[in-house]
Amino acid sequence: EDIMLIDLLSMANYNSYNVNLANIIGLHEAIYISELININEKAIKKNKISDEGYFTVDRKYITSRTTLDKKEQLEIDKTLNNLKIIHIADNVNVISIDLQVLTGIIMSADEKLTKDISSIVNKKQKRTKQ
């Protein structure tokens, strides 16, 4: 019984995200990127990453980890691709993360840049709500 409780409360059932990034691009986007980084790390360890840094994502797995359905994931992909944070291969389930761009956004002290990024994300969110 204790093992079941430990499994239930295990850190493997938690997903953390970068608060600074969430403030710039949005909560769902930050959670999604966090999960992509975890998948990227596993792909590297299992040697399942291309020379260009592309890896395959399992949309159902991401849904189980984030509650974001496939449609939401693909919308976020478009936004992140426009921001050059990710690159999408011919197959929408094969992507790479540009860690330099991502860390640049998180570390940026350029308020105009962060406002521009936020306005891109907010426009997308308004269209989605409509």
Side-chain angles (χ1 to χ4, degrees), residues 48-78:
K48 292 189 175 190
I49 196 157
S50 76
D51 291 340
E52 298 83 23
Y54 285 89
F55 56 96
T56 302
V57 295
D58 177 341
R59 300 292 176 178
K60 288 182 183 177
Y61 174 76
I62 292 173
T63 299
S64 74
R65 297 279 303 154
T66 65
T67 74
L68 299 167
D69 64 30
K70 182 177 180 177
K71 182 180 175 189
E72 291 170 306
Q73 293 172 42
L74 294 175
E75 282 295 318
I76 293 171
D77 281 352
K78 286 180 193 173

PDB file of all heavy atoms in Angstrom, residues 48-78:
ATOM      1  N   LYS A  48      18.156   8.566 -29.936  1.00  0.00           N
ATOM      2  CA  LYS A  48      17.053   8.631 -30.898  1.00  0.00           C
ATOM      3  C   LYS A  48      16.844  10.067 -31.365  1.00  0.00           C
ATOM      4  O   LYS A  48      15.718  10.532 -31.490  1.00  0.00           O
ATOM      5  CB  LYS A  48      15.771   8.078 -30.272  1.00  0.00           C
ATOM      6  CG  LYS A  48      15.827   6.590 -30.008  1.00  0.00           C
ATOM      7  CD  LYS A  48      14.489   6.048 -29.600  1.00  0.00           C
ATOM      8  CE  LYS A  48      14.566   4.534 -29.478  1.00  0.00           C
ATOM      9  NZ  LYS A  48      13.241   3.945 -29.304  1.00  0.00           N
ATOM     10  N   ILE A  49      17.947  10.741 -31.616  1.00  0.00           N
ATOM     11  CA  ILE A  49      17.899  12.129 -32.053  1.00  0.00           C
ATOM     12  C   ILE A  49      18.744  12.249 -33.320  1.00  0.00           C
ATOM     13  O   ILE A  49      19.786  11.614 -33.433  1.00  0.00           O
ATOM     14  CB  ILE A  49      18.378  13.077 -30.927  1.00  0.00           C
ATOM     15  CG1 ILE A  49      17.976  14.506 -31.213  1.00  0.00           C
ATOM     16  CG2 ILE A  49      19.844  12.933 -30.659  1.00  0.00           C
ATOM     17  CD1 ILE A  49      17.899  15.373 -29.976  1.00  0.00           C
ATOM     18  N   SER A  50      18.266  13.024 -34.278  1.00  0.00           N
ATOM     19  CA  SER A  50      19.002  13.159 -35.537  1.00  0.00           C
ATOM     20  C   SER A  50      20.228  14.040 -35.333  1.00  0.00           C
ATOM     21  O   SER A  50      20.356  14.736 -34.323  1.00  0.00           O
ATOM     22  CB  SER A  50      18.093  13.760 -36.610  1.00  0.00           C
ATOM     23  OG  SER A  50      17.936  15.156 -36.402  1.00  0.00           O
ATOM     24  N   ASP A  51      21.106  14.039 -36.330  1.00  0.00           N
ATOM     25  CA  ASP A  51      22.308  14.880 -36.269  1.00  0.00           C
ATOM     26  C   ASP A  51      21.937  16.356 -36.170  1.00  0.00           C
ATOM     27  O   ASP A  51      22.679  17.157 -35.626  1.00  0.00           O
ATOM     28  CB  ASP A  51      23.190  14.653 -37.498  1.00  0.00           C
ATOM     29  CG  ASP A  51      23.821  13.273 -37.503  1.00  0.00           C
ATOM     30  OD1 ASP A  51      23.909  12.643 -36.421  1.00  0.00           O
ATOM     31  OD2 ASP A  51      24.226  12.816 -38.590  1.00  0.00           O
ATOM     32  N   GLU A  52      20.765  16.719 -36.718  1.00  0.00           N
ATOM     33  CA  GLU A  52      20.306  18.114 -36.683  1.00  0.00           C
ATOM     34  C   GLU A  52      19.542  18.437 -35.402  1.00  0.00           C
ATOM     35  O   GLU A  52      19.042  19.543 -35.233  1.00  0.00           O
ATOM     36  CB  GLU A  52      19.404  18.414 -37.890  1.00  0.00           C
ATOM     37  CG  GLU A  52      20.095  18.263 -39.234  1.00  0.00           C
ATOM     38  CD  GLU A  52      20.117  16.823 -39.723  1.00  0.00           C
ATOM     39  OE1 GLU A  52      19.254  16.022 -39.289  1.00  0.00           O
ATOM     40  OE2 GLU A  52      20.995  16.485 -40.522  1.00  0.00           O
ATOM     41  N   GLY A  53      19.373  17.453 -34.512  1.00  0.00           N
ATOM     42  CA  GLY A  53      18.704  17.694 -33.241  1.00  0.00           C
ATOM     43  C   GLY A  53      17.209  17.412 -33.242  1.00  0.00           C
ATOM     44  O   GLY A  53      16.510  17.743 -32.289  1.00  0.00           O
ATOM     45  N   TYR A  54      16.711  16.780 -34.308  1.00  0.00           N
ATOM     46  CA  TYR A  54      15.280  16.469 -34.375  1.00  0.00           C
ATOM     47  C   TYR A  54      14.963  15.191 -33.624  1.00  0.00           C
ATOM     48  O   TYR A  54      15.759  14.257 -33.595  1.00  0.00           O
ATOM     49  CB  TYR A  54      14.834  16.325 -35.840  1.00  0.00           C
ATOM     50  CG  TYR A  54      14.711  17.647 -36.556  1.00  0.00           C
ATOM     51  CD1 TYR A  54      15.803  18.204 -37.215  1.00  0.00           C
ATOM     52  CD2 TYR A  54      13.511  18.343 -36.551  1.00  0.00           C
ATOM     53  CE1 TYR A  54      15.701  19.424 -37.857  1.00  0.00           C
ATOM     54  CE2 TYR A  54      13.399  19.568 -37.198  1.00  0.00           C
ATOM     55  CZ  TYR A  54      14.492  20.103 -37.849  1.00  0.00           C
ATOM     56  OH  TYR A  54      14.385  21.307 -38.469  1.00  0.00           O
ATOM     57  N   PHE A  55      13.787  15.179 -33.006  1.00  0.00           N
ATOM     58  CA  PHE A  55      13.304  14.001 -32.295  1.00  0.00           C
ATOM     59  C   PHE A  55      11.796  13.880 -32.531  1.00  0.00           C
ATOM     60  O   PHE A  55      11.139  14.837 -32.912  1.00  0.00           O
ATOM     61  CB  PHE A  55      13.620  14.074 -30.794  1.00  0.00           C
ATOM     62  CG  PHE A  55      13.083  15.316 -30.124  1.00  0.00           C
ATOM     63  CD1 PHE A  55      11.860  15.293 -29.465  1.00  0.00           C
ATOM     64  CD2 PHE A  55      13.804  16.510 -30.140  1.00  0.00           C
ATOM     65  CE1 PHE A  55      11.368  16.435 -28.837  1.00  0.00           C
ATOM     66  CE2 PHE A  55      13.317  17.650 -29.519  1.00  0.00           C
ATOM     67  CZ  PHE A  55      12.101  17.618 -28.874  1.00  0.00           C
ATOM     68  N   THR A  56      11.274  12.692 -32.313  1.00  0.00           N
ATOM     69  CA  THR A  56       9.855  12.429 -32.540  1.00  0.00           C
ATOM     70  C   THR A  56       9.087  12.594 -31.239  1.00  0.00           C
ATOM     71  O   THR A  56       9.538  12.157 -30.179  1.00  0.00           O
ATOM     72  CB  THR A  56       9.663  10.996 -33.073  1.00  0.00           C
ATOM     73  OG1 THR A  56      10.423  10.867 -34.270  1.00  0.00           O
ATOM     74  CG2 THR A  56       8.196  10.708 -33.368  1.00  0.00           C
ATOM     75  N   VAL A  57       7.924  13.254 -31.337  1.00  0.00           N
ATOM     76  CA  VAL A  57       7.070  13.412 -30.163  1.00  0.00           C
ATOM     77  C   VAL A  57       5.831  12.533 -30.320  1.00  0.00           C
ATOM     78  O   VAL A  57       5.327  12.350 -31.413  1.00  0.00           O
ATOM     79  CB  VAL A  57       6.654  14.886 -29.938  1.00  0.00           C
ATOM     80  CG1 VAL A  57       7.850  15.746 -29.614  1.00  0.00           C
ATOM     81  CG2 VAL A  57       5.911  15.453 -31.123  1.00  0.00           C
ATOM     82  N   ASP A  58       5.411  11.989 -29.214  1.00  0.00           N
ATOM     83  CA  ASP A  58       4.193  11.180 -29.144  1.00  0.00           C
ATOM     84  C   ASP A  58       3.109  12.076 -28.556  1.00  0.00           C
ATOM     85  O   ASP A  58       3.148  12.411 -27.369  1.00  0.00           O
ATOM     86  CB  ASP A  58       4.463   9.959 -28.261  1.00  0.00           C
ATOM     87  CG  ASP A  58       3.245   9.073 -28.064  1.00  0.00           C
ATOM     88  OD1 ASP A  58       2.102   9.530 -28.279  1.00  0.00           O
ATOM     89  OD2 ASP A  58       3.447   7.909 -27.660  1.00  0.00           O
ATOM     90  N   ARG A  59       2.181  12.493 -29.397  1.00  0.00           N
ATOM     91  CA  ARG A  59       1.157  13.463 -28.987  1.00  0.00           C
ATOM     92  C   ARG A  59       0.297  12.935 -27.835  1.00  0.00           C
ATOM     93  O   ARG A  59      -0.064  13.701 -26.936  1.00  0.00           O
ATOM     94  CB  ARG A  59       0.280  13.849 -30.176  1.00  0.00           C
ATOM     95  CG  ARG A  59       1.051  14.488 -31.325  1.00  0.00           C
ATOM     96  CD  ARG A  59       1.581  15.838 -30.943  1.00  0.00           C
ATOM     97  NE  ARG A  59       2.396  16.413 -32.017  1.00  0.00           N
ATOM     98  CZ  ARG A  59       2.949  17.586 -31.956  1.00  0.00           C
ATOM     99  NH1 ARG A  59       2.794  18.346 -30.901  1.00  0.00           N
ATOM    100  NH2 ARG A  59       3.698  18.041 -32.936  1.00  0.00           N
ATOM    101  N   LYS A  60      -0.018  11.652 -27.836  1.00  0.00           N
ATOM    102  CA  LYS A  60      -0.831  11.088 -26.740  1.00  0.00           C
ATOM    103  C   LYS A  60      -0.064  11.142 -25.420  1.00  0.00           C
ATOM    104  O   LYS A  60      -0.632  11.432 -24.373  1.00  0.00           O
ATOM    105  CB  LYS A  60      -1.249   9.652 -27.064  1.00  0.00           C
ATOM    106  CG  LYS A  60      -2.300   9.572 -28.138  1.00  0.00           C
ATOM    107  CD  LYS A  60      -2.715   8.134 -28.401  1.00  0.00           C
ATOM    108  CE  LYS A  60      -3.718   8.098 -29.532  1.00  0.00           C
ATOM    109  NZ  LYS A  60      -4.090   6.728 -29.876  1.00  0.00           N
ATOM    110  N   TYR A  61       1.231  10.865 -25.489  1.00  0.00           N
ATOM    111  CA  TYR A  61       2.065  10.929 -24.289  1.00  0.00           C
ATOM    112  C   TYR A  61       2.098  12.357 -23.751  1.00  0.00           C
ATOM    113  O   TYR A  61       1.929  12.578 -22.543  1.00  0.00           O
ATOM    114  CB  TYR A  61       3.482  10.428 -24.593  1.00  0.00           C
ATOM    115  CG  TYR A  61       4.438  10.588 -23.441  1.00  0.00           C
ATOM    116  CD1 TYR A  61       4.392   9.717 -22.355  1.00  0.00           C
ATOM    117  CD2 TYR A  61       5.372  11.621 -23.424  1.00  0.00           C
ATOM    118  CE1 TYR A  61       5.261   9.862 -21.274  1.00  0.00           C
ATOM    119  CE2 TYR A  61       6.249  11.777 -22.358  1.00  0.00           C
ATOM    120  CZ  TYR A  61       6.183  10.898 -21.286  1.00  0.00           C
ATOM    121  OH  TYR A  61       7.040  11.052 -20.216  1.00  0.00           O
ATOM    122  N   ILE A  62       2.273  13.334 -24.641  1.00  0.00           N
ATOM    123  CA  ILE A  62       2.297  14.730 -24.203  1.00  0.00           C
ATOM    124  C   ILE A  62       0.953  15.110 -23.587  1.00  0.00           C
ATOM    125  O   ILE A  62       0.913  15.794 -22.565  1.00  0.00           O
ATOM    126  CB  ILE A  62       2.668  15.675 -25.369  1.00  0.00           C
ATOM    127  CG1 ILE A  62       4.123  15.431 -25.775  1.00  0.00           C
ATOM    128  CG2 ILE A  62       2.469  17.139 -24.974  1.00  0.00           C
ATOM    129  CD1 ILE A  62       4.561  16.185 -27.010  1.00  0.00           C
ATOM    130  N   THR A  63      -0.138  14.647 -24.176  1.00  0.00           N
ATOM    131  CA  THR A  63      -1.465  14.912 -23.600  1.00  0.00           C
ATOM    132  C   THR A  63      -1.559  14.335 -22.194  1.00  0.00           C
ATOM    133  O   THR A  63      -2.042  15.001 -21.273  1.00  0.00           O
ATOM    134  CB  THR A  63      -2.584  14.340 -24.494  1.00  0.00           C
ATOM    135  OG1 THR A  63      -2.526  14.982 -25.775  1.00  0.00           O
ATOM    136  CG2 THR A  63      -3.952  14.557 -23.870  1.00  0.00           C
ATOM    137  N   SER A  64      -1.067  13.111 -22.018  1.00  0.00           N
ATOM    138  CA  SER A  64      -1.136  12.476 -20.694  1.00  0.00           C
ATOM    139  C   SER A  64      -0.290  13.223 -19.667  1.00  0.00           C
ATOM    140  O   SER A  64      -0.608  13.236 -18.488  1.00  0.00           O
ATOM    141  CB  SER A  64      -0.716  11.004 -20.764  1.00  0.00           C
ATOM    142  OG  SER A  64       0.685  10.882 -20.927  1.00  0.00           O
ATOM    143  N   ARG A  65       0.773  13.875 -20.111  1.00  0.00           N
ATOM    144  CA  ARG A  65       1.663  14.589 -19.209  1.00  0.00           C
ATOM    145  C   ARG A  65       1.257  16.044 -18.967  1.00  0.00           C
ATOM    146  O   ARG A  65       1.625  16.627 -17.956  1.00  0.00           O
ATOM    147  CB  ARG A  65       3.099  14.568 -19.758  1.00  0.00           C
ATOM    148  CG  ARG A  65       3.713  13.190 -19.867  1.00  0.00           C
ATOM    149  CD  ARG A  65       4.248  12.662 -18.587  1.00  0.00           C
ATOM    150  NE  ARG A  65       5.235  13.579 -18.047  1.00  0.00           N
ATOM    151  CZ  ARG A  65       5.520  13.680 -16.757  1.00  0.00           C
ATOM    152  NH1 ARG A  65       4.914  12.923 -15.881  1.00  0.00           N
ATOM    153  NH2 ARG A  65       6.423  14.537 -16.338  1.00  0.00           N
ATOM    154  N   THR A  66       0.524  16.656 -19.925  1.00  0.00           N
ATOM    155  CA  THR A  66       0.249  18.090 -19.840  1.00  0.00           C
ATOM    156  C   THR A  66      -1.234  18.446 -19.869  1.00  0.00           C
ATOM    157  O   THR A  66      -1.591  19.589 -19.581  1.00  0.00           O
ATOM    158  CB  THR A  66       0.902  18.842 -21.016  1.00  0.00           C
ATOM    159  OG1 THR A  66       0.293  18.417 -22.238  1.00  0.00           O
ATOM    160  CG2 THR A  66       2.403  18.616 -21.060  1.00  0.00           C
ATOM    161  N   THR A  67      -2.078  17.531 -20.274  1.00  0.00           N
ATOM    162  CA  THR A  67      -3.520  17.707 -20.540  1.00  0.00           C
ATOM    163  C   THR A  67      -3.783  18.513 -21.804  1.00  0.00           C
ATOM    164  O   THR A  67      -4.942  18.772 -22.133  1.00  0.00           O
ATOM    165  CB  THR A  67      -4.320  18.327 -19.365  1.00  0.00           C
ATOM    166  OG1 THR A  67      -4.037  19.724 -19.247  1.00  0.00           O
ATOM    167  CG2 THR A  67      -4.055  17.612 -18.050  1.00  0.00           C
ATOM    168  N   LEU A  68      -2.763  18.891 -22.552  1.00  0.00           N
ATOM    169  CA  LEU A  68      -2.944  19.609 -23.810  1.00  0.00           C
ATOM    170  C   LEU A  68      -3.231  18.591 -24.912  1.00  0.00           C
ATOM    171  O   LEU A  68      -2.418  17.699 -25.157  1.00  0.00           O
ATOM    172  CB  LEU A  68      -1.683  20.406 -24.161  1.00  0.00           C
ATOM    173  CG  LEU A  68      -1.262  21.482 -23.163  1.00  0.00           C
ATOM    174  CD1 LEU A  68       0.148  21.961 -23.464  1.00  0.00           C
ATOM    175  CD2 LEU A  68      -2.246  22.636 -23.185  1.00  0.00           C
ATOM    176  N   ASP A  69      -4.392  18.733 -25.564  1.00  0.00           N
ATOM    177  CA  ASP A  69      -4.715  17.771 -26.620  1.00  0.00           C
ATOM    178  C   ASP A  69      -3.899  18.068 -27.875  1.00  0.00           C
ATOM    179  O   ASP A  69      -3.189  19.082 -27.960  1.00  0.00           O
ATOM    180  CB  ASP A  69      -6.220  17.726 -26.905  1.00  0.00           C
ATOM    181  CG  ASP A  69      -6.786  19.030 -27.443  1.00  0.00           C
ATOM    182  OD1 ASP A  69      -6.067  19.783 -28.118  1.00  0.00           O
ATOM    183  OD2 ASP A  69      -7.985  19.286 -27.192  1.00  0.00           O
ATOM    184  N   LYS A  70      -3.996  17.182 -28.865  1.00  0.00           N
ATOM    185  CA  LYS A  70      -3.176  17.306 -30.072  1.00  0.00           C
ATOM    186  C   LYS A  70      -3.404  18.645 -30.771  1.00  0.00           C
ATOM    187  O   LYS A  70      -2.445  19.298 -31.198  1.00  0.00           O
ATOM    188  CB  LYS A  70      -3.467  16.153 -31.034  1.00  0.00           C
ATOM    189  CG  LYS A  70      -2.619  16.180 -32.277  1.00  0.00           C
ATOM    190  CD  LYS A  70      -2.884  14.996 -33.179  1.00  0.00           C
ATOM    191  CE  LYS A  70      -2.005  15.074 -34.417  1.00  0.00           C
ATOM    192  NZ  LYS A  70      -2.177  13.911 -35.284  1.00  0.00           N
ATOM    193  N   LYS A  71      -4.657  19.075 -30.865  1.00  0.00           N
ATOM    194  CA  LYS A  71      -4.967  20.345 -31.529  1.00  0.00           C
ATOM    195  C   LYS A  71      -4.264  21.503 -30.816  1.00  0.00           C
ATOM    196  O   LYS A  71      -3.670  22.364 -31.455  1.00  0.00           O
ATOM    197  CB  LYS A  71      -6.481  20.560 -31.554  1.00  0.00           C
ATOM    198  CG  LYS A  71      -6.907  21.820 -32.264  1.00  0.00           C
ATOM    199  CD  LYS A  71      -8.423  21.983 -32.249  1.00  0.00           C
ATOM    200  CE  LYS A  71      -8.784  23.330 -32.863  1.00  0.00           C
ATOM    201  NZ  LYS A  71     -10.185  23.645 -32.685  1.00  0.00           N
ATOM    202  N   GLU A  72      -4.325  21.515 -29.473  1.00  0.00           N
ATOM    203  CA  GLU A  72      -3.658  22.565 -28.698  1.00  0.00           C
ATOM    204  C   GLU A  72      -2.135  22.511 -28.897  1.00  0.00           C
ATOM    205  O   GLU A  72      -1.491  23.549 -29.034  1.00  0.00           O
ATOM    206  CB  GLU A  72      -3.988  22.420 -27.209  1.00  0.00           C
ATOM    207  CG  GLU A  72      -5.433  22.735 -26.866  1.00  0.00           C
ATOM    208  CD  GLU A  72      -5.790  22.347 -25.439  1.00  0.00           C
ATOM    209  OE1 GLU A  72      -5.582  21.175 -25.056  1.00  0.00           O
ATOM    210  OE2 GLU A  72      -6.268  23.227 -24.703  1.00  0.00           O
ATOM    211  N   GLN A  73      -1.581  21.304 -28.916  1.00  0.00           N
ATOM    212  CA  GLN A  73      -0.145  21.148 -29.119  1.00  0.00           C
ATOM    213  C   GLN A  73       0.281  21.713 -30.470  1.00  0.00           C
ATOM    214  O   GLN A  73       1.283  22.426 -30.564  1.00  0.00           O
ATOM    215  CB  GLN A  73       0.249  19.672 -29.047  1.00  0.00           C
ATOM    216  CG  GLN A  73       0.095  19.054 -27.681  1.00  0.00           C
ATOM    217  CD  GLN A  73       0.305  17.561 -27.713  1.00  0.00           C
ATOM    218  OE1 GLN A  73       1.217  17.072 -28.387  1.00  0.00           O
ATOM    219  NE2 GLN A  73      -0.529  16.808 -27.012  1.00  0.00           N
ATOM    220  N   LEU A  74      -0.494  21.415 -31.518  1.00  0.00           N
ATOM    221  CA  LEU A  74      -0.142  21.885 -32.857  1.00  0.00           C
ATOM    222  C   LEU A  74      -0.256  23.402 -32.954  1.00  0.00           C
ATOM    223  O   LEU A  74       0.539  24.045 -33.650  1.00  0.00           O
ATOM    224  CB  LEU A  74      -1.010  21.192 -33.912  1.00  0.00           C
ATOM    225  CG  LEU A  74      -0.765  19.683 -34.049  1.00  0.00           C
ATOM    226  CD1 LEU A  74      -1.762  19.064 -35.025  1.00  0.00           C
ATOM    227  CD2 LEU A  74       0.659  19.372 -34.459  1.00  0.00           C
ATOM    228  N   GLU A  75      -1.229  23.982 -32.243  1.00  0.00           N
ATOM    229  CA  GLU A  75      -1.341  25.453 -32.204  1.00  0.00           C
ATOM    230  C   GLU A  75      -0.123  26.064 -31.516  1.00  0.00           C
ATOM    231  O   GLU A  75       0.431  27.054 -31.973  1.00  0.00           O
ATOM    232  CB  GLU A  75      -2.621  25.877 -31.475  1.00  0.00           C
ATOM    233  CG  GLU A  75      -3.872  25.765 -32.307  1.00  0.00           C
ATOM    234  CD  GLU A  75      -3.887  26.714 -33.493  1.00  0.00           C
ATOM    235  OE1 GLU A  75      -3.487  27.886 -33.338  1.00  0.00           O
ATOM    236  OE2 GLU A  75      -4.275  26.264 -34.590  1.00  0.00           O
ATOM    237  N   ILE A  76       0.275  25.466 -30.405  1.00  0.00           N
ATOM    238  CA  ILE A  76       1.460  25.948 -29.686  1.00  0.00           C
ATOM    239  C   ILE A  76       2.705  25.772 -30.562  1.00  0.00           C
ATOM    240  O   ILE A  76       3.561  26.649 -30.614  1.00  0.00           O
ATOM    241  CB  ILE A  76       1.619  25.245 -28.321  1.00  0.00           C
ATOM    242  CG1 ILE A  76       0.468  25.641 -27.384  1.00  0.00           C
ATOM    243  CG2 ILE A  76       2.967  25.587 -27.686  1.00  0.00           C
ATOM    244  CD1 ILE A  76       0.410  24.848 -26.095  1.00  0.00           C
ATOM    245  N   ASP A  77       2.767  24.647 -31.286  1.00  0.00           N
ATOM    246  CA  ASP A  77       3.893  24.429 -32.201  1.00  0.00           C
ATOM    247  C   ASP A  77       4.024  25.579 -33.193  1.00  0.00           C
ATOM    248  O   ASP A  77       5.131  26.055 -33.459  1.00  0.00           O
ATOM    249  CB  ASP A  77       3.724  23.121 -32.988  1.00  0.00           C
ATOM    250  CG  ASP A  77       4.092  21.886 -32.193  1.00  0.00           C
ATOM    251  OD1 ASP A  77       4.618  22.020 -31.072  1.00  0.00           O
ATOM    252  OD2 ASP A  77       3.856  20.773 -32.714  1.00  0.00           O
ATOM    253  N   LYS A  78       2.897  26.024 -33.751  1.00  0.00           N
ATOM    254  CA  LYS A  78       2.928  27.130 -34.720  1.00  0.00           C
ATOM    255  C   LYS A  78       3.521  28.382 -34.081  1.00  0.00           C
ATOM    256  O   LYS A  78       4.369  29.053 -34.666  1.00  0.00           O
ATOM    257  CB  LYS A  78       1.517  27.435 -35.239  1.00  0.00           C
ATOM    258  CG  LYS A  78       0.986  26.427 -36.216  1.00  0.00           C
ATOM    259  CD  LYS A  78      -0.412  26.833 -36.664  1.00  0.00           C
ATOM    260  CE  LYS A  78      -1.112  25.701 -37.386  1.00  0.00           C
ATOM    261  NZ  LYS A  78      -2.518  26.019 -37.672  1.00  0.00           N
TER     262      LYS A  78
END
